[in-house]
Amino acid sequence: MRRELETNGEERRDSMMLPLVLLRSSVVLAFAALGVGFWLLQVVQHDKYHQLAENNHRRTIGLRAPRGNVFDRDGRVLVENRNSLNISLVREQVDDLESTLALLSEVSGVPSAALWSVVERNRRDPAYQPILLIRDATIGQVSAVAAHALELPGLFVQELPARHYKTAEVAAHLFGYVGEVSQSQMATAEFEGVRSGTVVGKSGIESTYNQLLMGQDGARQVVVDAIGREIDTVGEIAPAEGRQLQLTLDYDLQEAAEAAFRLAGFDGAAVVLDPRSGEILSLVSLPAYDPNAFAMGIDSDTWSGLNDDTRRPLNNRALQGRYSPGSTFKIAMAVAALEEGVVDADDRVTCNGGATFYGRFYKCWGTHGSVDMREALEQSCNTYFYTLGQKMEVDQIHQWATALGLGVLSGIDLPHEVQGLVPSTAWKREARGEPWYPGETISVAIGQGTVDVTPLSLAVMMATVANGGTRVTPHLLKAVNDGDGWVPAQPPGPRSQVHLSPETISAVTEGLWRVVNGRGTGGRGRIEGRDVIGKTGTAQVISLKGRAAAGETDPEFFDHGWFVFAAPAGAPEIAGVVFGEHNEHGSLSAPIAKHVMETYFAKKEGRPLPVLPLPATPTPEAVPPVAVTAVAGN
Amino acid sequence: MLERRLYRHIDWLLLLAVLVLCVIGVVMIYSTTYDPTTGLAGSQVSTQLWALGLGLIGFIVMLSVDYRWFSDSTVLICLALLAALGYALMFGTTGGGARRWIGLGLFNLQPSEFARIVVALALATLFADRRRGPQTPTGWLMTALIVGTPFLLIAQQPDLGTAVTLLPVCFGILVFAGLRLRYVAVLLLLAVLTAPVAWTYGLQDYQKQRISSFLDPEQDAHGAGYQQIQARITVGSGGPLGKGFLGGTQSQYNFLPVAHNDFIFSVLAEEQGFLGVVVALGLYLFVILRGLDAARLAKDRLGTFLVVGLMSGFGFQVIYNIAMSAGLAPVKGLTLPLMSYGGSSVIATLAAFGLVLNVRMRRFTN
């Protein structure tokens, strides 16, 4: 029995040998395949999957660096940072973006289309990167989002440093504004390595000194779990605040200039500088804008409002406006004529209300009789300067005007400076393809014709004449503080230097002194005991004929009035230009210069600053950083 | 019941390998359920330890009673299984969209985990006495009945994954019972031909989703493809030597869902690396081959078929789960026997090994 069973067993085992071998070999094969599979994943492709795993649970969260504060020459903070509350979205944590945005739109009052467009713009960013949906949210919006936190996963309130211009519109063009770096900026060498979304300077000193002000954005590396909760902080690079800048700007003078403009009731521009160094003390362009509107990204309505405004508030007239210099150009003419030796300061010309040159009669605005150079400057006698124009080549005028700073860039540390034009024969050949006609020189001699200048370049001319021929470079940067104390900035050297003979200086200075202190047109700029020198000028907006046709009623066609000035004569400490837009005459610009100079001297001597009889002005601090207006939505 | 002579023939080596795998499983469950903020592991660890205890009791019971006694009671056992499956289907506890558990107060029992053993026992009993093999109308009918009934009940839960594990059990026994190779070919052909029909009518949307996302996980990186992508990342990032115990970022930060359950092997691969994978694969391979040894050594056809059925089911599930855990197969709700968290799975698997050792141990007895 036992034997039979054994045989049976053997027989059975033989018949099952094949399936068993097959089964075993397939198991071994399957395990070998698994082994190879794991080897491929874990050894061959390890680096790739290691990286993917790191990306899974590590997040780098950008920490925005506050930009450096900006101070005036007395150490007053003018531009600083404030905390802005923003509503941000992390798409990774949102299941249903559509309903999230719909609800957010409902509770915040922000149109859903606007929210979607922000999301669309950032569609390509990683899903864990917060998208700023509502910048500078109101308290109402923040609390509405907080109240709906459970229904709005993935939305959170993000605190970010935002630029705050304490003085609002005052000196707006000088400071400029900030914004997110643009695609075209990122393509330039200056912004190499700057991440998209970084806030950079877009204009003014924010732009010029962006590298100093910007600081270094930090980052926090965190470990997150599968639903995006931060579990641990692995490392943090604290954001490094930008460097602090001290400007040459004197806020008192800036305020004085802008207040005087307000009192005068017209727009325009003013540049006030120290003729010895080129330090800008005040730089005005009106109308202005509030750079705070740009701090967290400007909304499109405000932006198009600024852009479409016919008064062009974004335009910095001081260095971007090109205007005919009018009679202020006579200063350059006087210097050129004396230095070229075509006249002597004592040579006389008789003005009979005009004179004929090259067969055409050129009018003077009055009948001045016999005048020498000093008297001609004092009374702004056209006939005298026509005569100089007749005696000189246009290229001589061009050469001297250029040496004084006209028709060239001043080199100021502000972006987008525009170059004026002082014509020359070479210029006309190139630009117009025509030879220079001597008759044109007659118009140029009184600052008309093709001559045009920026207010800034006229200020440089005045400084150059006042300081005896050194064409200083106007500049704004006084010192830099990178955290270890203030280091004075290396002032830019003069752009050029010409030797003006003492005779020239004394004759021109005397003429300009008389403009203000004698019978001239600048009497409103006179300050007792300060020996102010100056010159008015009128920039014709359209020809007299055109003006007559327009009916002379539209202020758009009113002339602009110039007043260039320096004080005190002989040893000037302050010089500059006031440009009154459509204010008809330079004599109306002079009081603004006077108020600035009075403020300067009062401050220098420790006296109370002069106060203008102005209606109460809105102080900058009255503008709240976060507008607590209607609680939207609810 | 356990005579001294039998005691000597217990396959201690196989038992040791099985227990080592269970211990590795517990350690991995500890790791995946560990909460770094509290410094505590989840309750799953103690549940699993309790289940292991019960499983060992089940193991001893299945080992002690002669397997032929079970065979004699096949009909009764089959009816008990069907009753349990039916009960689970109608009154069972719901979890994860499926009704597969019977609440027993202390824990929930998943009867489908035991279906494999019962089917193996029933088929082995059926063919032990049928020398002519399965190729007779009665053979086919009985096979279809024994496999089909629990299959349909389990698939209704729905738990197609567990239901499908009955097929290798059946297939293995049929081949050993003398299924001719041309029938094997016909069966395979049939499977291929019915696949499109099954795709259209037999599969739920989520099942289709799983298969299509297996073929292209990126198409649905946040849905069904997510687990698969994360499984590959988990395994691949483990590298040759692993990230260390509790060091797996994928599992610790929950990027891999149900890691302690279906994806326990991914966690092992992440934390212990390729080295750990090779060790674990080696242990599983040893367990399967050593288990199949019992089929060769078995005293009778019943024993052989029983062991083949049990080991086929076990082997299939191990291979499929490990492939899935590396993102190399579509995601299916299949546990990794011995290692995965799951009381019923642990108890049923240990009981099955009790039977395998039973057959081997009693190879000399009458």
Side-chain angles (χ1 to χ4, degrees), chain A residues 124-136:
Chain A
R124 292 201 189 153
D125 293 348
Y128 59 80
Q129 201 137 295
I131 297 175
L132 281 181
L133 272 187
I134 304 179
R135 292 151 190 276
D136 243 342

Side-chain angles (χ1 to χ4, degrees), chain A residues 336-610:
Chain A
L338 289 175
E339 288 294 321
E340 289 291 329
V342 296
V343 287
D344 192 88
D346 299 323
D347 289 351
R348 293 195 158 265
V349 169
T350 304
C351 169
N352 297 316
T356 303
F357 302 96
Y358 309 110
R360 191 187 139 194
F361 184 73
Y362 289 82
K363 257 182 85 171
C364 183
W365 66 278
T367 309
H368 300 105
S370 167
V371 287
D372 67 2
M373 176 167 282
R374 298 171 191 92
E375 289 156 352
L377 280 171
E378 175 186 12
Q379 294 173 44
S380 201
C381 176
N382 287 353
T383 311
Y384 180 89
F385 287 95
Y386 291 146
T387 309
L388 293 191
Q390 188 199 24
K391 290 181 175 177
M392 284 164 69
E393 297 295 324
V394 71
D395 287 346
Q396 289 174 306
I397 298 170
H398 172 84
Q399 182 202 327
W400 283 98
T402 303
L404 297 178
L406 299 180
V408 285
L409 292 177
S410 74
I412 191 173
D413 45 358
L414 283 176
H416 314 305
E417 185 189 359
V418 162
Q419 191 173 347
L421 173 72
V422 179
S424 64
T425 51
W427 166 78
K428 186 149 188 218
R429 224 178 11 255
E430 275 169 38
R432 304 269 165 91
E434 280 178 34
W436 184 263
Y437 302 110
E440 293 176 88
T441 317
I442 308 299
S443 298
V444 167
I446 59 158
Q448 308 251 338
T450 46
V451 190
D452 63 28
V453 298
T454 61
L456 177 62
S457 67
L458 269 187
V460 171
M461 177 197 79
M462 200 56 201
T464 311
V465 170
N467 70 24
T470 304
R471 177 148 73 91
V472 292
T473 306
H475 60 274
L476 278 159
L477 186 63
K478 194 167 174 62
V480 178
N481 184 350
D482 55 7
D484 303 327
W486 288 99
V487 177
Q490 177 72 36
R495 303 283 279 182
S496 65
Q497 196 124 26
V498 282
H499 180 258
L500 301 183
S501 70
E503 293 77 19
T504 302
I505 294 172
S506 92
V508 172
T509 305
E510 194 185 334
L512 297 180
W513 185 88
R514 287 193 196 177
V515 170
V516 178
N517 300 284
R519 294 179 296 140
T521 49
R524 297 187 200 195
R526 181 186 313 159
I527 307 171
E528 218 50 63
R530 295 300 175 195
D531 286 336
V532 175
I533 61 171
K535 180 81 194 77
T536 59
T538 304
Q540 275 187 14
V541 172
I542 53 172
S543 68
L544 292 171
K545 254 191 272 177
R547 192 168 169 180
E552 212 177 322
T553 51
D554 191 344
E556 278 290 294
F557 300 121
F558 290 2
D559 290 339
H560 307 309
W562 292 107
F563 185 67
V564 294
F565 61 93
E573 300 165 14
I574 182 167
V577 64
V578 173
F579 169 77
E581 195 166 86
H582 302 303
N583 71 344
E584 296 199 87
H585 199 276
S587 63
L588 297 175
S589 298
I592 296 171
K594 178 185 173 182
H595 181 58
V596 172
M597 286 186 283
E598 280 185 324
T599 307
Y600 172 82
F601 287 117
K603 191 175 174 188
K604 183 185 166 196
E605 289 153 15
R607 290 181 283 114
L609 305 184

Side-chain angles (χ1 to χ4, degrees), chain A residues 156-285:
Chain A
F156 69 102
V157 177
Q158 197 177 7
E159 249 181 77
L160 290 174
R163 210 54 164 153
H164 178 50
Y165 302 87
K166 290 181 77 170
T167 59
E169 296 202 352
V170 177
H173 296 90
L174 189 154
F175 298 135
Y177 53 87
V178 295
E180 284 188 8
V181 64
S182 65
Q183 292 296 325
S184 52
Q185 277 178 312
M186 281 165 75
T188 63
E190 189 194 341
F191 292 96
E192 206 180 316
V194 170
R195 286 212 328 270
S196 115
T198 306
V199 171
V200 299
K202 294 285 195 178
S203 96
I205 56 148
E206 293 277 24
S207 167
T208 309
Y209 294 117
N210 182 59
Q211 293 291 353
L212 293 173
L213 289 168
M214 190 163 68
Q216 190 79 43
D217 281 355
R220 195 170 77 233
Q221 206 177 40
V222 296
V223 171
V224 296
D225 69 4
I227 55 170
R229 283 180 311 191
E230 290 180 23
I231 294 190
D232 198 10
T233 299
V234 188
E236 181 170 325
I237 304 165
E241 191 178 337
R243 268 164 266 201
Q244 302 190 323
L245 300 189
Q246 185 176 35
L247 301 185
T248 60
L249 181 75
D250 185 327
Y251 185 68
D252 291 322
L253 298 195
Q254 182 75 21
E255 179 80 280
E258 299 205 16
F261 265 105
R262 272 200 299 280
L263 183 69
F266 49 80
D267 292 330
V271 178
V272 181
L273 45 74
D274 184 332
R276 298 164 296 189
S277 61
E279 289 184 353
I280 299 269
L281 302 173
S282 162
L283 190 139
V284 179
S285 175

Side-chain angles (χ1 to χ4, degrees), chain A residues 95-159:
Chain A
D95 288 329
D96 183 356
L97 194 57
E98 214 145 304
S99 68
T100 300
L101 291 189
L103 181 57
L104 176 63
S105 166
E106 195 184 304
V107 301
S108 68
V110 177
S112 140
L115 298 175
W116 273 108
S117 79
V118 179
V119 173
E120 277 304 307
R121 252 206 317 280
N122 296 282
R123 202 164 37 86
R124 292 201 189 153
D125 293 348
Y128 59 80
Q129 201 137 295
I131 297 175
L132 281 181
L133 272 187
I134 304 179
R135 292 151 190 276
D136 243 342
T138 62
I139 298 292
Q141 288 167 333
V142 167
S143 47
V145 167
H148 290 84
L150 287 177
E151 302 141 77
L152 294 170
L155 285 181
F156 69 102
V157 177
Q158 197 177 7
E159 249 181 77

Side-chain angles (χ1 to χ4, degrees), chain A residues 2 5 8-9 11-13 15-28 30-31 33-43 45-47 49-54 56-57 59 92 223-227 229 231-232, chain B residues 36 131 175-176 181 226 229-230 232-233 235-240 243 249-250 253-255 265 269-270 273-274 277 281 284-285 288-289 292-293 295-301 304-305 308 312 318-319 322-323 325-326 328 364 366:
Chain A
R2 189 179 169 82
L5 268 175
N8 263 352
E11 181 194 321
R12 173 173 53 82
R13 278 169 198 160
S15 73
M16 287 171 186
M17 234 22 228
L18 182 65
L20 201 59
V21 167
L22 280 177
L23 189 56
R24 285 183 160 173
S25 11
S26 20
V27 168
V28 170
F31 272 78
L34 285 178
V36 170
F38 276 85
W39 182 75
L40 285 175
L41 285 174
Q42 298 197 280
V43 180
Q45 293 179 296
H46 169 59
D47 289 342
Y49 287 111
H50 172 73
Q51 202 49 53
L52 285 170
E54 289 290 293
N56 252 350
H57 75 278
R59 295 274 182 282
E92 188 182 60
V223 171
V224 296
D225 69 4
I227 55 170
R229 283 180 311 191
I231 294 190
D232 198 10
Chain B
R131 296 265 161 176
V175 171
F176 273 72
L181 281 175
Y226 176 81
I229 295 170
Q230 293 302 337
R232 276 188 203 166
I233 294 174
V235 169
S237 66
K243 301 179 187 172
T249 56
Q250 287 287 106
Y253 303 134
N254 300 324
F255 286 99
F265 201 81
E270 184 184 26
F274 186 60
V277 166
L281 281 180
Y284 272 114
L285 184 61
I288 294 171
L289 296 182
L292 285 176
D293 245 8
R296 184 174 57 81
L297 297 171
K299 197 167 78 72
D300 48 17
R301 288 162 59 92
T304 304
F305 295 161
V308 162
S312 301
V318 166
I319 291 165
I322 292 178
S325 73
L328 303 172
F364 301 120
N366 284 321

